[in-house]
Amino acid sequence: PPRFIKGRSTRQVVVLCGLSGTGKGTTVARLGELLPEGKTRGWSNGDVFRSLTLLAATWCEQQGCDAFDAEKALTPEKLAEFMAMLEFGKFEGNWDIKISGLGVDALVSKIKNTELKGPKVSKNIPTVAEQTQGEVVKFAAAAAQQMGEAGLIVLLEGREATVNYIPSPYRYTLTMSDHTVLGQRRAAQRLGAAVLKEVGAGAADAAIAEALTACCGTLVGEIP
């Protein structure tokens, strides 16, 4: 796999397309292991869409809206405000996106499997993504350029429509024959992250089982 970078160590982007849950993040992590150590960085446009959705949904809550109000939250002016609350750079020694605004102060890497995959985000992200393609592509392109100038190979993953405008000769699409596995995988991700947050690393099996049962009940309770 490393052969395609021979003689070209900077400003390269490998694009992975696919539906949520098809293993884009896992593939990016595996490529990171196979490619030269310290020379790659994964990037997900989904992280930006989810961050924007979290901010938009939080804003709606703070405005006292009964539900997510796309007409009010997704105006050009509000989107510009939300984008200004996102910053890409090196934080705690790693490349990351920092969210700062509306009472949210977090690194995406710290909340990507918890708050950013919770119901407040998941049920509203299609609406937000439909309205923010341009903003996210621009943000991703700037981040890729920033990392490329630092000598990194950028492993960029996302849905096809969101990565079509990222130039790269290395473009691949991941698919799955059984789409029910996608829902199972997402449920497992959320349960694992919730249990870890509840009991912490190194907890006893009994404590993990108890927390898993409770978190599973919470997850089932979210089903309409």
Side-chain angles (χ1 to χ4, degrees):
R3 286 179 297 176
F4 75 91
I5 60 159
K6 189 174 182 180
R8 302 177 62 195
S9 60
T10 62
R11 299 193 182 188
Q12 293 191 87
V13 178
V14 179
V15 176
L16 293 176
C17 311
L19 297 175
S20 178
T22 51
K24 298 185 299 296
T26 301
T27 304
V28 164
R30 181 59 176 150
L31 283 173
E33 295 172 359
L34 295 172
L35 294 169
E37 185 176 358
K39 291 297 183 181
T40 63
R41 170 61 165 84
W43 175 268
S44 171
N45 280 347
D47 288 341
V48 188
F49 284 119
R50 289 180 180 278
S51 299
L52 284 173
T53 304
L54 177 64
L55 290 170
T58 299
W59 182 84
C60 288
E61 290 176 347
Q62 294 177 355
Q63 299 305 305
C65 300
D66 293 332
F68 186 81
D69 192 330
E71 187 174 337
K72 293 180 179 178
L74 302 182
T75 64
E77 294 76 19
K78 296 311 300 181
L79 289 178
E81 290 181 23
F82 299 150
M83 288 302 302
M85 297 175 190
L86 304 181
E87 178 186 1
F88 178 76
K90 273 203 167 182
F91 302 97
E92 299 181 4
N94 298 303
W95 294 99
D96 211 334
I97 299 172
K98 185 176 184 181
I99 309 174
S100 304
L102 301 177
V104 182
D105 184 12
L107 296 177
V108 165
S109 63
K110 304 287 187 182
I111 62 171
K112 64 187 303 180
N113 285 324
T114 52
E115 285 93 331
L116 291 184
K117 287 188 177 174
K120 182 165 78 172
V121 172
S122 296
K123 67 183 180 182
N124 295 312
I125 191 171
T127 302
V128 175
E130 184 179 358
Q131 300 294 324
T132 58
Q133 299 288 329
E135 287 83 356
V136 171
V137 167
K138 183 178 179 181
F139 190 88
Q145 180 179 356
Q146 191 175 344
M147 290 185 286
E149 289 174 349
L152 296 177
I153 300 166
V154 182
L155 306 175
L156 189 148
E157 51 112 332
R159 293 173 181 260
E160 189 170 3
T162 71
V163 297
N164 275 347
Y165 302 101
I166 305 297
S168 172
Y170 310 112
R171 188 178 301 271
Y172 308 92
T173 300
L174 304 184
T175 61
M176 295 188 74
S177 57
D178 183 3
H179 284 191
T180 62
V181 176
L182 303 182
Q184 295 169 355
R185 185 175 184 271
R186 174 54 53 82
Q189 282 181 323
R190 288 193 56 197
L191 283 173
V195 170
L196 179 61
K197 185 177 181 179
E198 185 72 22
V199 301
D205 289 349
I208 294 174
E210 183 179 352
L212 183 60
T213 299
C215 292
C216 188
T218 301
L219 187 63
V220 171
E222 295 173 1
I223 300 174

